Amino acid sequence: MTQTSLTPVHLVTLGCARNEVDSAELAARLEAGGFQLVDDPESAEAVMVNTCGFIEQAKKDSIDQIIEASDAKDRGQAKAVVAVGCMAERYGAELADNLTEADAVLGFDDYPDIAAKLQSIINGERHTSHQPRDRRQLLPISPVARPAVADRGQVPGHGSGDETAGRPASGPPVLRRRIGDGPMAPLKLASGCDRRCSFCAIPSFRGAYLSRPIDEVVAEAEWMVSTGVRETFLVSENSSSYGKDLGDIRMLEKLLPQLARIDGLDWVRVSYLQPAEVRPGLIETMVGTEGVVPYFDLSFQHAAPTVLRRMRRFGDPDRFLGLLEQIRGLAPNAGIRSNFIVGFPGETEDDVAILSDFLTEARLDVVGVFAYSDEEGTEAVGLDGHLDSDEIEARADELRDLADALVDERAAERIGERVEVLVESIGSEDDPQAEVVLGRAAHQGPDVDGIVTVETGREHRIGDLVTATVTDSDGADLVAVENEGS
């Protein structure tokens, strides 16, 4: 029997870890439909760009990547460049009309038939892009009424093996194909968001909040371990709301111990928690369950009460510091990170001073500072008190300088601390044979929270856990020496 050759496709993923999960589903659907993923865009017959549509810079990066893919198409054998993902969903036909470098723009509802649609585009057929809609309207306002809705639209990252998508019988229990072979992989808890933050457009194109059932999440984690994963990174738009649509707001506290009991899974890490939703029981579960790392990715966004109210968020410095005190009272060395928006409409110099004082007292491990910019379709665009762009950048630069200094101080406080490090690479960049391993400690999330360089005289493999003592720091990065007998 002659084996049909597979069509090579190059898949590019931009944006957050949630997009990485969506790409893993897209990859599985493409392979089931006769495609083969390749690393070189110039050897592919199609290039698919999974875009980000969150903020202006992310959208610019997505457009630049599509243009770059179009240039690769001209140099290689590709017949099509296709945009998918958040920016493609958010703008649809408008993006297709204005970005001629893309041969097609596909929305979330195209994902179930993604392979057939991509093949038709390669064959020269014209794809009519969707007109964007507010995806929050696809589900009832009441979260507990959502599981009964049959037509909820396509929810990326929720594709299960029960669908008729050509999944091989020997495949994973969910529609996934691992992209990369590192020891960490993201796992999606839920999609969408019910909050109405005045600066954020994500709910309009990601939809209302929808959790995945516990058994589905656990089954995916077990499959991930079978592929070499040693750390699962739980992602969603708001992890602290997990389970509210399934009738149990404390479902995350029940899920975490089940994941931690999976044989071969060393670390379970949770991302993106809303401070107003972090309950004492959740803190206790996160710091008291062996295998769940004490890591808190808290979405503060600001500290000045007047700014937070205009953002349609909750809290103030005293409440936020009280939350940090609760966490550190149970886990003094817990990793805590957050992002902040500076220059929001109506923000005063006094508000900036409140934020500066909070950052100084909070002692966060990682601080992200973003300059405010209008996002079309959000309430903040119509607020009074918009600041001059130069003033916004000046404030952001001032806070970034402060944040850098504070992160340096916090990392230096860890000198002498004993840490466990998940090995992600062997040898230094300059000398791959050097007796060092690089990885992350429990307080460091993937990609953005720094690394640990461990000096060791022993042989290690990627995915090992190494116990070491911190000897130096450089920003959020640490240097450590492996402990004897560990």
Side-chain angles (χ1 to χ4, degrees):
M1 177 182 290
T2 302
Q3 184 174 3
T4 304
S5 61
L6 300 176
T7 304
V9 58
H10 179 68
L11 178 60
V12 181
T13 305
L14 302 174
C16 64
R18 299 184 295 274
N19 248 19
E20 293 179 27
V21 178
D22 297 351
S23 283
E25 180 183 318
L26 287 169
R29 292 184 183 278
L30 289 169
E31 286 198 338
F35 287 87
Q36 178 183 15
L37 264 65
V38 296
D39 294 331
D40 181 8
E42 294 185 27
S43 67
E45 288 196 32
V47 178
M48 181 173 287
V49 181
N50 189 357
T51 61
C52 179
F54 179 35
I55 57 176
E56 283 302 317
Q57 184 58 51
K59 288 182 280 189
K60 181 181 182 301
D61 291 343
S62 295
I63 290 171
D64 289 345
Q65 185 64 59
I66 292 168
I67 293 172
E68 182 179 328
S70 180
D71 292 341
K73 169 186 166 184
D74 294 339
R75 295 191 303 269
Q77 65 183 38
K79 300 174 183 175
V81 173
V82 175
V84 296
C86 289
M87 188 173 73
E89 173 62 35
R90 184 176 180 182
Y91 295 105
E94 178 187 352
L95 181 64
D97 290 342
N98 289 282
L99 189 62
T100 57
E101 288 84 357
D103 296 288
V105 173
L106 278 61
F108 294 156
D109 291 333
D110 292 313
Y111 284 17
D113 303 316
I114 194 75
K117 292 191 174 183
L118 180 57
Q119 189 60 60
S120 72
I121 295 163
I122 291 173
N123 294 341
E125 298 177 27
R126 177 177 174 78
H127 174 79
T128 301
S129 297
H130 66 285
Q131 293 295 333
R133 54 179 172 168
D134 188 337
R135 296 185 75 86
R136 290 172 292 192
Q137 298 175 3
L138 298 176
L139 292 169
I141 293 176
S142 171
V144 294
R146 294 170 189 167
V149 176
D151 185 13
R152 60 183 61 168
Q154 178 65 17
V155 184
H158 285 228
S160 71
D162 294 329
E163 296 176 286
T164 56
R167 182 180 64 88
S170 60
V174 288
L175 268 169
R176 296 289 185 274
R177 177 210 186 273
R178 277 209 70 196
I179 300 175
D181 55 3
M184 184 284 300
L187 194 165
K188 186 173 285 191
L189 283 179
S191 287
C193 186
D194 288 338
R195 304 186 75 89
R196 295 294 182 266
C197 301
S198 61
F199 56 84
C200 183
I202 288 176
S204 65
F205 55 86
R206 276 291 186 179
Y209 198 85
L210 195 65
S211 303
R212 297 177 64 197
I214 281 182
D215 57 352
E216 186 177 295
V217 175
V218 171
E220 182 170 348
E222 290 173 339
W223 166 75
M224 290 165 68
V225 170
S226 73
T227 69
V229 170
R230 293 294 172 262
E231 174 189 0
T232 184
F233 187 40
L234 304 181
V235 299
S236 72
E237 275 75 21
N238 177 9
S239 297
S240 44
S241 281
Y242 176 66
K244 71 176 185 177
D245 52 315
L246 300 178
D248 188 353
I249 192 60
R250 289 176 171 78
M251 191 169 284
L252 184 56
E253 295 157 45
K254 298 174 182 176
L255 170 66
L256 291 175
Q258 293 191 43
L259 292 173
R261 286 195 294 268
I262 295 174
D263 187 32
L265 187 61
D266 294 318
W267 282 357
V268 179
R269 186 182 303 274
V270 183
S271 74
Y272 209 87
L273 301 166
Q274 287 286 346
E277 297 178 359
V278 178
R279 305 165 295 277
L282 179 58
I283 297 174
E284 291 168 5
T285 300
M286 290 178 64
V287 303
T289 304
E290 185 176 357
V292 177
V293 295
Y295 173 82
F296 292 82
D297 177 13
L298 298 168
S299 175
F300 289 127
Q301 302 298 352
H302 212 283
T306 55
V307 176
L308 287 167
R309 300 304 174 268
R310 287 171 69 87
M311 288 179 167
R312 293 198 178 276
R313 296 179 67 85
F314 304 94
D316 55 55
D318 288 341
R319 293 181 185 178
F320 291 166
L321 291 171
L323 174 59
L324 298 179
E325 185 177 356
Q326 288 182 56
I327 294 169
R328 288 176 173 141
L330 295 173
N333 295 327
I336 307 175
R337 73 167 335 271
S338 191
N339 293 325
F340 299 86
I341 298 173
V342 182
F344 192 79
E347 181 190 69
T348 66
E349 292 185 0
D350 286 343
D351 294 328
V352 176
I354 291 172
L355 176 54
S356 298
D357 291 343
F358 169 73
L359 289 175
T360 301
E361 292 187 63
R363 296 171 48 245
L364 303 177
D365 289 280
V366 177
V367 178
V369 176
F370 296 89
Y372 171 81
S373 63
D374 280 338
E375 273 299 307
E376 57 190 291
T378 64
E379 180 186 352
V381 173
L383 292 177
D384 59 6
H386 272 64
L387 301 174
D388 177 82
S389 59
D390 290 340
E391 176 63 22
I392 294 174
E393 285 299 331
R395 292 184 182 184
D397 287 342
E398 177 184 345
L399 264 295
R400 288 181 186 121
D401 289 343
L402 173 63
D404 288 345
L406 293 172
V407 169
D408 286 348
E409 290 179 10
R410 179 68 186 116
E413 291 176 3
R414 292 192 180 274
I415 294 176
E417 185 177 311
R418 176 174 170 162
V419 294
E420 264 196 325
V421 177
L422 179 69
V423 176
E424 295 183 307
S425 63
I426 308 293
S428 68
E429 292 183 3
D430 297 330
D431 182 5
Q433 302 303 317
E435 293 184 339
V436 300
V437 296
L438 281 73
R440 289 175 294 106
H443 71 275
Q444 295 171 315
D447 299 326
V448 292
D449 289 356
I451 62 171
V452 183
T453 300
V454 182
E455 299 173 5
T456 176
R458 308 177 191 178
E459 290 188 5
H460 288 288
R461 296 178 301 176
I462 291 174
D464 285 351
L465 282 177
V466 175
T467 303
T469 299
V470 179
T471 59
D472 200 0
S473 65
D474 180 10
D477 296 336
L478 302 177
V479 177
V481 175
E482 184 176 9
N483 294 346
E484 291 185 10
S486 63

